[in-house]
Amino acid sequence: NIRDEVFLEGLKTYEPLPHRLQFLGEKNGIKYYDDSISTICETTIQALNTLKDVDAVLIGGMDRGIDYSELIRFLSGHPVPYIILMEATGKRIFEEIRQDYPDFQKMERLILTDHLEDAVKEAQKLTRPGHSCLMSPAAASYGIFKNFEERGDAFRDLVFES
């Protein structure tokens, strides 16, 4: 029993959960989104399906040994220009694609980095103004960060303090 006008006003002021497709702001014409809470393939897939202008997606973290085949198949057919892979999971996904997915579309989109700091630097170089950079790691943060909140905060700091 809520009037449309009241609902629309509420929608305008709605704030999403921190670290779940959270718009962090814009720097040098690039929009940055923190999806650090994304620790499984499905949430990264949904993030890329939601944001239509992503130029660079940052994927990777602690390797829990989960199956990444669904995400790999999705990324192969997705038009995102740059897939920046980091940490142990990123390295594993990179190797799995090279070994097990010879038909992966545009393999040159894969960029392997060591850590989040390196991934952010690559994304800043590669993302075109007017487009988005999305950190949606599809992996846990443990062993690297205390939790996904700390990882998301580190992403924000790396973007806006550099």
Side-chain angles (χ1 to χ4, degrees):
N1 293 332
I2 298 175
R3 293 188 340 267
D4 289 348
E5 301 81 33
V6 173
F7 178 78
L8 290 173
E9 278 306 307
L11 194 58
K12 288 179 189 175
T13 59
Y14 172 77
E15 290 288 327
L17 292 173
H19 310 289
R20 178 65 186 139
L21 274 183
Q22 180 183 14
F23 177 63
L24 297 177
E26 197 170 310
K27 182 177 179 185
N28 298 326
I30 300 169
K31 296 171 277 189
Y32 290 91
Y33 288 87
D34 169 13
D35 195 33
S36 185
I37 201 170
S38 173
T39 60
I40 59 174
C41 297
E42 292 82 7
T43 51
T44 297
I45 290 168
Q46 289 308 314
L48 285 166
N49 280 333
T50 299
L51 299 175
K52 302 299 182 194
D53 67 345
V54 175
D55 256 8
V57 60
L58 283 60
I59 296 174
M62 185 192 89
D63 189 358
R64 295 174 292 171
I66 67 172
D67 180 6
Y68 283 98
S69 59
E70 177 187 14
L71 179 61
I72 291 169
R73 286 191 302 274
F74 173 81
L75 290 172
S76 178
H78 192 275
V80 63
Y82 300 103
I83 302 164
I84 303 174
L85 301 165
M86 59 187 172
E87 301 292 347
T89 301
K91 289 178 177 90
R92 187 180 128 212
I93 291 170
F94 183 80
E95 289 303 319
E96 283 184 22
I97 291 171
R98 284 184 26 176
Q99 292 173 11
D100 303 331
Y101 295 87
D103 296 333
F104 189 90
Q105 295 179 26
K106 298 182 182 173
M107 191 93 60
E108 65 275 7
R109 298 180 296 153
L110 302 175
I111 298 163
L112 186 59
T113 63
D114 288 322
H115 305 292
L116 178 60
E117 182 176 356
D118 309 311
V120 169
K121 286 178 185 174
E122 285 297 317
Q124 289 173 324
K125 286 191 287 188
L126 298 169
T127 306
R128 297 169 293 171
H131 291 79
S132 295
C133 170
L134 167 67
M135 182 187 63
S136 189
S141 58
Y142 303 117
I144 306 159
F145 297 98
K146 183 173 94 178
N147 51 37
F148 71 84
E149 292 96 342
E150 185 179 86
R151 175 174 57 194
D153 292 345
F155 175 63
R156 179 198 63 226
D157 293 346
L158 286 166
V159 166
F160 293 105
E161 292 180 5
S162 58

